[in-house]
Short mmCIF file of all heavy atoms in Angstrom, two decimals:
data_model
loop_
_atom_site.label_atom_id
_atom_site.label_comp_id
_atom_site.label_asym_id
_atom_site.label_seq_id
_atom_site.Cartn_x
_atom_site.Cartn_y
_atom_site.Cartn_z
N ARG A 173 21.42 -4.58 17.23
CA ARG A 173 22.48 -5.11 18.14
C ARG A 173 21.95 -6.39 18.80
O ARG A 173 22.72 -7.38 18.93
CB ARG A 173 22.82 -4.07 19.21
CG ARG A 173 23.56 -2.88 18.62
CD ARG A 173 24.59 -2.31 19.67
NE ARG A 173 25.47 -1.31 18.99
CZ ARG A 173 25.36 0.03 19.16
NH1 ARG A 173 24.39 0.48 19.91
NH2 ARG A 173 26.20 0.81 18.48
N VAL A 188 6.80 5.88 2.86
CA VAL A 188 5.70 6.71 3.32
C VAL A 188 4.72 5.74 4.02
O VAL A 188 4.32 4.71 3.40
CB VAL A 188 5.02 7.38 2.14
CG1 VAL A 188 3.71 8.00 2.56
CG2 VAL A 188 5.88 8.41 1.46
N ILE A 315 -0.95 11.68 2.14
CA ILE A 315 -1.85 11.06 3.12
C ILE A 315 -1.82 11.89 4.39
O ILE A 315 -0.79 12.25 4.94
CB ILE A 315 -1.34 9.64 3.48
CG1 ILE A 315 -1.27 8.81 2.23
CG2 ILE A 315 -2.26 9.07 4.56
CD1 ILE A 315 -0.42 7.55 2.40
#
Side-chain angles (χ1 to χ4, degrees):
R173 291 213 170 102
V188 170
I315 302 163

